[in-house]
Amino acid sequence: MTTNPTLADLAHRVAEGRDRPAYGHDALITCDRLVRIFSMDGIEVQALQGLDLLVREGELMALVGASGSGKSTLMNILAGLDTPTAGAARVAGRDLLAMTAKDRLAYRRHVVGFVWQQTSRNLLPYLTAAQNTALPMRLAGGRSRGARRAHGERALELLELLNVADCRDRRPHQMSGGQQQRVAITVALANNPAVLLADEPTGELDSHTAEQVFAAFRTANERLGTTIVIVTHDQAVADEVRRTVAIRDGRTSTEVLRRHQVDATTGHETVVAREYAMLDRAGRLQLPADYTEALGMRDRVALELEPDHIGIWPDDSEQG
Ligand code: ADP
Ligand code: MG
């Protein structure tokens, strides 16, 4: 049996927290108060407004959010194609704000792989699936005959792993949209990146085909251990990952974690989903709008520290 901590225990914990390790020190991807401002014709758009995100090595997670919430802006930064205005972003030990042009090229070639929504943006039209997949390996080095043979073999292995080996000698226009996206994943995986980023990779596909493409991401995650971040509008995809982070107005807002729970008596397995709010280092908490609206909370709330939780109530100072 566990007992609830006393207030003295809590005070002790508060004191301990002062020397806790740096934010995201053990994460593969760390975004810390990330800001991206676009200026166009004198008008500023704050696409990211202090976004915090941690992704651990080996995760397969989804990012969701309304159109214009900043998802693609974040993906372009993580892909090394765009630089933040302020804040910090680290991926696999690289500081994305401090990379030289040369670092950036090496980063895009070896550390991250990406898959975009438009199938046409992912593959070169005049190359076959096998040639498309081998291309990043050729660009990364090794032009000898032995190296080329190794590239060809690895390309085939990847195509087989993602169930598109039958497309090896086909050019993109000879493949279905779903096959093209699965080949796009093999291209992204060619140089064995630590992170695979995908921005609405199933956005142009019907739900059955989207399911197959999502299965390919899962295979890459499980068999190759690649950490994967998928931006999606598709609730079915979001439901299949353990963790879904919602972005709202350029900031991470809520997070849903799903875990499998097995009933001890029946052995029946269910998925339990629980919603979490993000707590930033300054202690700021963003409550979901539907929660605060349901209780009429705005501007100020009443707060109480309890041994095992914090209570939040509508502002009662005007009453009684
Ligand atoms: P999402 O992918 O979630 O739909 P985006 O990241 O594409 O959102 O866009 C976030 C906001 O930033 C939008 O208001 C969009 O208009 C703006 N934005 C994105 N890219 C640019 C750009 N290159 N120049 C100006 N504004 C941009
Ligand atoms: Mg987008």
Side-chain angles (χ1 to χ4, degrees), residues 31-36 50-51 84-89 95-97:
C31 298
D32 186 1
R33 289 174 284 185
L34 205 57
V35 174
R36 178 64 169 106
L51 177 139
T85 310
D95 180 349
L96 301 193
L97 280 89

Side-chain angles (χ1 to χ4, degrees), residues 1-125:
M1 197 187 119
T2 56
T3 51
N4 284 335
T6 63
L7 282 175
D9 290 335
L10 289 177
H12 182 67
R13 276 192 218 159
V14 168
E16 266 185 340
R18 294 208 183 100
D19 35 49
R20 93 191 97 179
Y23 176 77
H25 73 286
D26 58 349
L28 188 68
I29 300 175
T30 304
C31 298
D32 186 1
R33 289 174 284 185
L34 205 57
V35 174
R36 178 64 169 106
I37 299 171
F38 293 108
S39 301
M40 267 197 344
D41 309 326
I43 300 169
E44 285 196 344
V45 179
Q46 280 222 23
L48 299 180
Q49 314 194 31
L51 177 139
D52 291 324
L53 177 71
L54 297 180
V55 181
R56 277 174 214 296
E57 187 168 8
E59 263 197 75
L60 165 61
M61 57 96 67
L63 285 178
V64 298
S67 173
S69 58
K71 304 180 301 293
S72 294
T73 302
L74 173 63
M75 294 304 263
N76 285 327
I77 289 171
L78 294 178
L81 298 169
D82 187 22
T83 36
T85 310
R90 295 182 72 81
V91 176
R94 268 107 176 145
D95 180 349
L96 301 193
L97 280 89
M99 289 194 294
T100 62
K102 196 172 158 221
D103 295 338
R104 206 165 273 285
L105 188 65
Y107 175 79
R108 289 207 296 266
R109 211 163 255 176
H110 298 283
V111 184
V112 285
F114 23 88
V115 176
W116 307 107
Q117 174 174 359
Q118 300 90 339
T119 47
S120 57
R121 191 174 166 190
N122 292 314
L123 302 173
L124 288 175

